Amino acid sequence: MKILNTLLSLTIVTSILKAQNPEVSSEDFSSRQVHLDFHTSEQLENIGEQFDKVSWQKALADAHVNSINIFAKGHHGYSYYPTKVGTQHPNLDFDLLKSQLEASHEIGIKTPFYFAIGWSVLDAVTHPEWVIKNKNGKSKKGDLIQSLNAEDPYPNFTWELLMPEGGYLEMILKQTEELCKNYELDGFWYDIIPNNAINYNAYSRAGFKKAGIDVDNDLEVEMHHVEKLKFFMASCNAIIKKYHPDASIFYNWSTHMNNSNTFKYKLYEYNTSYDLEDLPTTWEGYNEFPLRAKYFSNMGKPVTGMSGKFHTAWGEFGGFKYPNALKYEAASMIAFGANVNFGDQLHPSGIIDSETYKNIGSAFSYVKSIEAFGPGGKQVAKTGLWMTFDNHTEQAASLLLLDTQTNYVVVNNLKDWSDLELIIIPSKPNLSAKNVETLNQFVADGGKLLILGEGALKRDRSGFALDVGGTYLGKASYDVDYTVVSEALSKNVVRSPFLNYMPAIKIKPDATVKLLASIREPYFSRTKAHYTSHQNTPYNLQPATHPAIYRDGNTMVVAHPLDKMYLKYGAQIHRELFKNTLDALLTTPMVRANLPSSGRVNLLHFPKKNRYVAHLLYAVPVQRGVAQVIDDLVPIYDTTVEIKLKENIKKAYLMPGNIELNTTKSNGKMSVIIPKFTCHTALVLEY
C-alpha cells in the first residue's frame, strides 16, 4: 500500500494479508442475538449504576438470547470500561463492560463488543481535524449543527462523520488492542464505516499529495479512499485475530445495498459474517431483506438479519413492536437462511427492560423451534436474478419475484449455475463485456433469459450488449403507452389495451422472432399545449411498429420496465403479465405454492443432512403513518406445494411440530397440501 504512515509492526502487517477474509463457522454462530444500543452523553448522570447481574441474566435467559452486542464505545465518544487510550464516560464509576460480559458468559451467552467509528462526538470536538470534509471544505453535518441555537430541537441521527486514518486510526487500533488484551471477548462489531464519504480534509489532502493522487481525479481519489478503509479493516482484523483467533468481526455499512462502494470494491470481505441491518418498519420495508440475504448467502459465511424491537428506528426509547411483528420478522430471517438479531437500547441507568425481553423472547422461542432449518442452508432455485447493483432496480425486480411467489437465487456471485433454467435481467443497463460473455454462454448451454426494459443495453445505451433478436431504436416517443397481449400471455390479463405508466423502449425485432404483445401509443404526450381529460392521453387504434414483448429462441424481451413500474405503481396487471412471461419460460420450478400475493416462498438445501426445506411465510404489512406495521397474523388454509427435485424425496413433514404429510406424485412432480399455517411453516423434504 502506498498510503498512511506505518502504524503497525512488520509482524502485524504481514498477518494483515492473512486476515483480509476471516472465517467463522456457520455451526458455531449465534442464532438468537440482541444488539444493545448504549449511546449516552455526558449530560446523563449515574451511568450504569443500577446494572444488576441477576436481572440481566434472567431477562436474557428468559428471552432465549444466545449472543448480545455490548458497548465498548458509543457515538458520544465515551467508553464503558477503564481505558488508557480512550475516555471513560465521566459519569460511570465502574467497569460496566466487564460486568455485562461476565454476567453473560456465566450463562453461556456470547458478547461481541460494539465500537463506534464514523460517529464519535467527543473525538470530533477534541480533534476537528479528524472530521471528514467534502471538496468545498464542508463537513457532513457542520452547517446544520452550527445553524442551531442551544434550545432548538436536535434532528435525529445528526452526527459529524470521521475517517479512520492518521491519529484517529492509531487511537482505534490501540483501543482495539487494549480491549483484546484485557477481556475474553467474543468479537467486535464496528459501526459506521464511511464507505462512500470521500474525505478531503487537510490530513487526507496531504495523503493524496504524498501518494501522487490527483485530487481532481474522482476515480483515483475514490480508490485511494477505499484503500485506506481496507487498511483500517485489515489492521483491526490482524490485531483481533492475534489475541482471539475465533472472534467474530463485523464492519457496519459494509453490507448495505445502497452503498455503491460495498459491491464495487467488495468491502464486505473483511467480515467474518454478514450482518444485514434492516429496520423494515421505517427503512426499506419488508422486501429489502430477502434480496440481501440471497446475495450474501452465496459467500460461504454466516448471515444475520438485523431488525429492532422499536416501532420506528434505532435510538427510540420506549418504542415497541408487538409480538406478531417480531415473530414474522424472525421467521422471515430464518426462512431466508439467516440468524436473527433484534436491536434494543439500554436505559442509561443500566436497568434492562423486562418487557422488551418478553417481547423478543416470544419471537426467539419460535426461532428455537425452526433454527435448524434455516441458517447455513444453501439458496437453490431454477430462477436466477442478475443484480445490476442499482438498489432501486434490484428492489423492483425482487418485489415482482416475491409477490409472484417465485423462488429465486442471486446469480452474480453464485459459483454453480447448473440448476438454473432462467435468469432475469432487470431494467437497468449495467453489463460488462465479461458479463455478456458469461450470459451468452449460459444461453448457448440451453439457459433462458427474461430481459426487462433497458437491461440488455450497453451502459452508454448505444445499442444492445446482448443478442436479443432485435435492434435498439431508442427511447419512447411518448410519456405513456399501452400493451395488448396475445393469447399466450393472457392469463388473468385483459385483452384490451392497458396502461403502462412508464413507456417501452423502441426495438425493431428480427423477422424470425415470435411477437407476444404489441403496443398502442397515445395520440400525444400530455403537455400544456396538448392534453385531454384528467390524466393520460388515450391510445391510438393502430398498433405501434415496435413490440411490447417478443421471444427469440430462449430469450424473451419485455420492452417495458415492468420491475420499476410495479415498484412505483403496484398495478396487479403488470404483476400478472410478469408471471405469465415467467410461466412461458420456466418449465420446471423447484418449488411452487399457491399463496396470496403477500405470501413468500424460499427453498434451502442442506446437502450434509440430506434435506431441502421450503419455507412459507404470510403476513400483510400495512403502511400506517411513518411505519409499516404488522398487526394480524391470519391463518392460511389448504396450501398446495409442488416440488420438482433431482433427489427422491422419502419423507415430507412440517416444522415446527414435526407433522408428517401425505405426498402425491404426477408427471415427475411431488405435491403436498399444507392444511393450515399461521405466519410461517417449514416444509422439510428428506431424501
Side-chain angles (χ1 to χ4, degrees):
M1 290 186 177
K2 57 185 180 182
I3 62 171
L4 298 177
N5 295 324
T6 302
L7 298 174
L8 304 172
S9 69
L10 180 60
T11 302
I12 292 181
V13 171
T14 302
S15 65
I16 283 174
L17 302 176
K18 299 177 182 178
Q20 287 183 350
N21 198 14
E23 300 289 343
V24 166
S25 168
S26 293
E27 287 79 6
D28 296 334
F29 213 72
S30 302
S31 53
R32 288 163 267 118
Q33 307 172 22
V34 166
H35 183 85
L36 189 63
D37 266 9
F38 198 59
H39 303 293
T40 56
S41 78
E42 68 282 359
Q43 297 167 31
L44 294 169
E45 299 180 351
N46 305 317
I47 299 300
E49 73 168 6
Q50 294 189 57
F51 171 81
D52 178 68
K53 172 181 171 181
V54 174
S55 299
W56 174 276
Q57 290 179 332
K58 178 173 173 39
L60 297 184
D62 287 351
H64 313 287
V65 173
N66 55 19
S67 180
I68 183 168
N69 295 341
I70 58 175
F71 269 44
K73 180 184 179 183
H75 288 333
H76 287 276
Y78 297 115
S79 300
Y80 299 100
Y81 69 98
T83 173
K84 296 179 180 179
V85 180
T87 302
Q88 182 172 318
H89 196 291
N91 300 323
L92 173 70
D93 60 8
F94 70 106
D95 191 338
L96 178 61
L97 183 71
K98 182 179 180 181
S99 298
Q100 292 173 336
L101 180 149
E102 291 181 346
S104 302
H105 280 186
E106 275 186 19
I107 57 173
I109 295 174
K110 294 181 179 179
T111 55
F113 287 177
Y114 176 99
F115 195 103
I117 300 294
W119 292 343
S120 179
V121 175
L122 180 65
D123 295 314
V125 171
T126 56
H127 291 279
E129 72 275 12
W130 293 350
V131 174
I132 291 176
K133 301 290 181 65
N134 63 20
K135 267 189 175 182
N136 297 322
K138 301 287 187 181
S139 67
K140 192 171 182 66
K141 299 288 186 178
D143 287 346
L144 171 62
I145 293 171
Q146 291 171 18
S147 69
L148 296 173
N149 296 315
E151 300 306 316
D152 287 341
Y154 200 63
N156 297 343
F157 301 99
T158 299
W159 312 86
E160 289 283 29
L161 189 61
L162 292 85
M163 178 68 188
E165 62 178 333
Y168 188 44
L169 174 59
E170 186 171 6
M171 186 182 79
I172 291 167
L173 298 180
K174 285 181 177 178
Q175 197 162 6
T176 295
E177 186 164 34
E178 177 184 60
L179 288 162
C180 286
K181 285 182 176 180
N182 294 344
Y183 298 94
E184 287 302 315
L185 56 88
D186 297 302
F188 273 84
W189 207 94
Y190 293 103
D191 200 9
I192 318 298
I193 311 306
N195 295 342
N196 286 349
I198 308 299
N199 187 16
Y200 293 90
N201 67 16
Y203 181 87
S204 191
R205 284 179 178 272
F208 294 151
K209 185 175 181 179
K210 184 176 181 180
I213 301 296
D214 179 1
V215 72
D216 294 318
N217 186 317
D218 291 343
L219 181 59
E220 281 190 20
V221 169
E222 177 182 277
M223 293 175 68
H224 186 71
H225 172 75
V226 169
E227 194 173 52
K228 290 188 289 186
L229 288 176
K230 288 187 174 183
F231 185 83
F232 147 67
M233 291 187 284
S235 301
C236 289
N237 285 8
I239 292 170
I240 296 165
K241 292 302 182 183
K242 175 184 175 183
Y243 293 97
H244 303 280
D246 297 325
S248 62
I249 306 169
F250 179 71
Y251 298 92
N252 198 27
W253 289 9
S254 70
T255 56
H256 284 196
M257 300 289 279
N258 56 1
N259 283 351
S260 58
N261 287 341
T262 292
F263 299 101
K264 189 175 181 180
Y265 297 106
K266 298 183 178 180
L267 291 172
Y268 46 73
E269 289 187 334
Y270 294 83
N271 300 310
T272 62
S273 68
Y274 302 118
D275 289 13
L276 310 182
E277 185 185 14
D278 176 36
L279 294 168
T281 46
T282 53
W283 284 11
E284 297 294 337
Y286 280 89
N287 298 312
E288 165 98 358
F289 175 74
L291 175 67
R292 297 174 71 194
K294 286 175 179 293
Y295 181 86
F296 285 103
S297 288
N298 293 337
M299 307 292 227
K301 294 180 183 179
V303 174
T304 297
M306 290 191 70
S307 185
K309 71 101 174 184
F310 320 107
H311 176 66
T312 57
W314 303 110
E316 180 183 69
F317 284 107
F320 286 89
K321 281 189 186 124
Y322 271 63
N324 279 357
L326 290 176
K327 180 180 179 180
Y328 178 80
E329 291 180 19
S332 180
M333 293 174 196
I334 296 294
F336 288 99
N339 299 294
V340 183
N341 185 313
F342 285 123
D344 179 28
Q345 184 165 218
L346 186 66
H347 190 274
S349 67
I351 297 174
I352 193 165
D353 183 70
S354 60
E355 291 296 325
T356 290
Y357 288 86
K358 287 179 184 177
N359 240 7
I360 292 175
S362 68
F364 280 177
S365 64
Y366 186 72
V367 169
K368 286 183 71 175
S369 69
I370 60 171
E371 62 191 11
F373 303 93
K378 178 185 176 184
Q379 310 276 349
V380 288
K382 288 288 187 181
T383 301
L385 176 63
W386 182 268
M387 284 181 62
T388 65
F389 301 106
D390 173 76
N391 191 39
H392 177 77
T393 309
E394 250 79 82
Q395 294 304 318
S398 178
L399 181 61
L400 273 175
L401 291 162
L402 292 170
D403 279 3
T404 55
Q405 294 73 57
T406 304
N407 178 55
Y408 75 94
V409 294
V410 171
V411 300
N412 303 61
N413 61 347
L414 184 67
K415 295 178 181 178
D416 183 6
W417 286 18
S418 60
D419 285 334
L420 293 175
E421 181 181 1
L422 167 69
I423 293 177
I424 297 166
I425 311 292
S427 60
K428 172 86 171 182
N430 194 34
L431 296 175
S432 68
K434 186 176 180 181
N435 298 155
V436 170
E437 182 181 346
T438 302
L439 291 168
N440 281 340
Q441 187 60 53
F442 174 71
V443 175
D445 292 339
K448 301 170 185 175
L449 298 180
L450 175 58
I451 296 166
L452 304 180
E454 297 182 333
L457 290 178
K458 297 176 183 177
R459 291 175 178 174
D460 63 2
R461 293 177 171 81
S462 61
F464 285 118
L466 292 168
D467 180 4
V468 298
T471 303
Y472 178 61
L473 299 178
K475 292 188 175 183
S477 301
Y478 300 96
D479 56 349
V480 298
D481 62 21
Y482 301 81
T483 295
V484 180
V485 297
S486 66
E487 178 68 27
L489 298 181
S490 64
K491 184 178 179 181
N492 293 329
V493 175
V494 299
R495 297 299 300 275
S496 58
F498 59 85
L499 177 64
N500 299 299
Y501 305 95
M502 298 178 179
I505 59 173
K506 294 196 286 189
I507 305 171
K508 180 182 178 181
D510 296 345
T512 55
V513 308
K514 182 178 180 181
L515 298 177
L516 297 171
S518 62
I519 287 176
R520 301 285 180 90
E521 293 179 315
Y523 290 108
F524 45 78
S525 292
R526 184 177 177 85
T527 65
K528 182 178 179 180
H530 300 89
Y531 69 93
T532 183
S533 189
H534 295 302
Q535 293 193 60
N536 48 287
T537 308
Y539 52 84
N540 199 304
L541 296 177
Q542 298 302 314
T545 56
H546 54 284
I549 304 173
Y550 67 88
R551 182 168 180 173
D552 179 41
N554 277 354
T555 298
M556 187 178 291
V557 177
V558 178
H560 292 91
L562 279 185
D563 46 5
K564 294 175 184 175
M565 191 156 48
Y566 184 64
L567 181 67
K568 184 172 183 178
Y569 294 98
Q572 182 177 348
I573 199 165
H574 296 129
R575 184 182 76 223
E576 297 294 343
L577 179 59
F578 174 77
K579 188 175 188 304
N580 290 345
T581 63
L582 273 181
D583 289 345
L585 291 170
L586 189 63
T587 57
T588 56
M590 288 182 175
V591 60
R592 189 191 298 273
N594 63 335
L595 289 171
S597 61
S598 293
R600 300 290 181 254
V601 178
N602 195 53
L603 185 65
L604 299 172
H605 187 202
F606 297 82
K608 293 181 181 179
K609 297 180 180 178
N610 294 333
R611 70 186 180 206
Y612 289 86
V613 182
H615 288 272
L616 280 66
L617 292 153
Y618 184 77
V620 182
V622 176
Q623 189 72 40
R624 190 176 298 132
V626 300
Q628 285 192 21
V629 179
I630 292 176
D631 280 345
D632 305 312
L633 298 177
V634 300
I636 298 294
Y637 295 93
D638 298 326
T639 303
T640 300
V641 183
E642 293 181 349
I643 307 292
K644 173 72 174 178
L645 300 169
K646 293 178 291 186
E647 294 83 358
N648 180 33
I649 301 302
K650 298 177 180 177
K651 182 180 179 182
Y653 57 96
L654 297 179
M655 292 297 294
N658 197 20
I659 303 167
E660 191 162 354
L661 299 176
N662 295 323
T663 64
T664 59
K665 291 185 178 180
S666 176
N667 299 322
K669 291 188 293 186
M670 186 186 80
S671 295
V672 298
I673 296 178
I674 300 175
K676 177 185 176 182
F677 77 92
T678 303
C679 181
H680 167 266
T681 190
L683 173 59
V684 185
L685 304 159
E686 294 185 352
Y687 59 88

